[in-house]
Amino acid sequence: MTYRVVQWATGAMGTAILRTMLDHPGVDVVGTYVYGEAKAGRDVGDLARRDATGVLATSDVDEILALDADVVVHAGRIGPYGAHDDEIVALLESGKNVLSINGYTDPFVHPGPRLDRLRAAAERGGVTLMGVGLNPGFIGEQVAVLATGVCASVDHVEVVEMADARLVQDPEYLFGSLGFGAALDEHDPNDPSWGPVGALNGMYEEVLGAMAHHLGLTIDEVVSDHVCHPAGSDLTVAAGVIPQGTVGHTNWRWHSMVDGSPRLTMSIHWFVETAHLPEPEPPLWRVNITGHPGVKIAMELEKHPADRSRMGAEQYAVAGQVINAVPHVVAAEPGLMIRPVATPARADYATFRPR
């Protein structure tokens, strides 16, 4: 079966997803939304460094809403939590399933008017909203949860990510969304009024909520324990210069509390130097489960040996998560959906070869 899919936004991750979808015989890209007028009107194959498709990118939301499509892959810019609700609602009401790579993994953890609005939009459109991605997504909601399957009892599940921010090329993302280069005494890293905290808290509370849903836990509250570390010297990275003494490493930490004890922990290190890492050469992810028995997993991603593109393994992995989630969101009952623990690649879906 071939699915008609729209790509929403073509930043670094969005372009990687678009490129992978164009290469995949199970997906037919029927439209692409772009933020900038410089990209509007260009063939989507050109945007993804692929052959021309005859499908032109647009910055007109109404054109996207009018398309006949099964799914929209939403890869919008990270902003304040819930910043994309209006466009998500419009897409759902237009009768399109939505996969988001930035949040919406468990909207049920924030009950109230926002949840009601999202659910009503999906039901009116007869479609489904589901979160996908790596983190939020794969490592916590799928890998860590699945690993508890060998445990007779589980005391604590910790997911630790080590993300190298030296590779980030977008200054707005590095210095704005992630908070690098800010004076250490300028912001309280646990104050949700600071932009990065406001953007990430709601998103990762949903991650912990999805994990708890799969594990049968009822969370009393989520407590943050964020820490910022200073850069040891002036650091020149792809996105610019991080002055000595300003924020050069952030460790975002959330703990799900159950009966006064932390049961689930999400810890994300964004770094441009390794001085404050828990180990000098860490893997991308660690999953640490304290239980009977305990489980420890270290995970890396690597590109296919035949691949010669500039895309990184993480970009391919996000795209792979999207590709493999498409059949699930299309088949789901209308409404809001927490992604299944397993959405594996299937040989009977289509055969993909890297380029």
Side-chain angles (χ1 to χ4, degrees):
M1 182 175 180
T2 300
Y3 299 93
R4 295 170 58 82
V5 181
V6 172
Q7 175 61 39
W8 184 286
T10 55
M13 284 301 180
T15 300
I17 296 167
L18 176 61
R19 185 175 299 146
T20 304
M21 292 196 301
L22 290 172
D23 290 345
H24 200 286
V27 175
D28 181 16
V29 177
V30 297
T32 295
Y33 177 77
V34 292
Y35 290 116
E37 291 301 320
K39 294 182 179 180
R42 291 175 59 184
D43 191 286
V44 298
D46 179 46
L47 292 177
R49 298 196 181 119
R50 291 295 183 261
D51 296 336
T53 66
V55 176
L56 303 182
T58 181
S59 58
D60 186 335
V61 174
D62 289 336
E63 289 185 16
I64 296 295
L65 297 178
L67 288 172
D68 177 17
D70 299 306
V71 180
V72 175
V73 178
H74 194 279
R77 297 165 175 159
I78 292 180
Y81 180 69
H84 297 299
D85 283 1
D86 288 347
E87 56 206 37
I88 295 284
V89 164
L91 290 167
L92 292 170
E93 291 181 333
S94 75
K96 298 171 183 62
N97 298 288
V98 176
L99 291 171
S100 169
I101 70 166
N102 292 316
Y104 303 93
T105 52
D106 183 6
F108 302 101
V109 302
H110 298 290
R114 175 176 181 265
L115 173 64
D116 295 341
R117 183 185 180 215
L118 290 170
R119 182 160 42 200
E123 291 173 352
R124 278 194 296 270
V127 291
T128 305
L129 168 63
M130 187 170 79
V132 292
L134 295 183
N135 192 19
F138 175 70
I139 188 62
E141 299 153 34
Q142 294 188 311
V143 173
V145 169
L146 188 63
T148 66
V150 302
C151 303
S153 63
V154 175
D155 299 329
H156 183 246
V157 179
E158 179 189 43
V159 177
V160 184
E161 176 174 355
M162 273 70 69
D164 191 342
R166 291 171 292 191
L167 307 177
V168 174
Q169 298 190 19
D170 183 355
E172 181 180 344
Y173 184 56
L174 185 71
F175 297 105
S177 299
L178 296 179
F180 281 84
L184 278 179
D185 60 356
E186 183 178 354
H187 303 285
D188 175 357
N190 292 283
D191 179 359
S193 67
W194 184 29
V197 184
L200 296 174
N201 272 9
M203 186 184 303
Y204 284 94
E205 287 168 6
E206 289 192 0
V207 172
L208 294 171
M211 292 173 66
H213 167 80
H214 290 306
L215 295 171
L217 289 171
T218 299
I219 298 173
D220 297 326
E221 63 175 334
V222 175
V223 177
S224 70
D225 183 23
H226 308 319
V227 178
C228 294
H229 299 289
S233 60
D234 290 346
L235 301 169
T236 301
V237 294
V241 177
I242 298 170
Q244 180 179 6
T246 66
V247 174
H249 180 139
T250 55
N251 182 197
W252 309 103
R253 297 185 295 208
W254 299 269
H255 308 280
S256 289
M257 308 299 292
V258 178
D259 295 331
S261 299
R263 296 294 300 276
L264 307 173
T265 295
M266 174 65 64
S267 174
I268 307 173
H269 293 268
W270 278 96
F271 65 93
V272 293
E273 58 183 357
T274 61
H276 300 285
L277 286 173
E279 51 191 300
E281 296 184 8
L284 176 58
W285 293 309
R286 285 197 181 279
V287 174
N288 303 312
I289 299 173
T290 304
H292 180 57
V295 182
K296 291 190 178 297
I297 301 173
M299 288 190 64
E300 291 280 11
L301 296 171
E302 61 180 22
K303 292 173 65 171
H304 190 284
D307 183 76
R308 297 293 181 267
S309 75
R310 296 180 181 178
M311 282 176 59
E314 290 179 50
Q315 291 174 296
Y316 273 123
V318 172
Q321 285 275 283
V322 167
I323 290 288
N324 294 319
V326 166
H328 292 270
V329 75
V330 172
E333 292 294 321
L336 310 180
M337 179 181 181
I338 296 175
R339 185 168 48 159
V341 173
T343 52
R346 293 181 57 95
D348 56 356
Y349 175 13
T351 301
F352 171 74
R353 293 289 180 265
R355 292 171 55 182

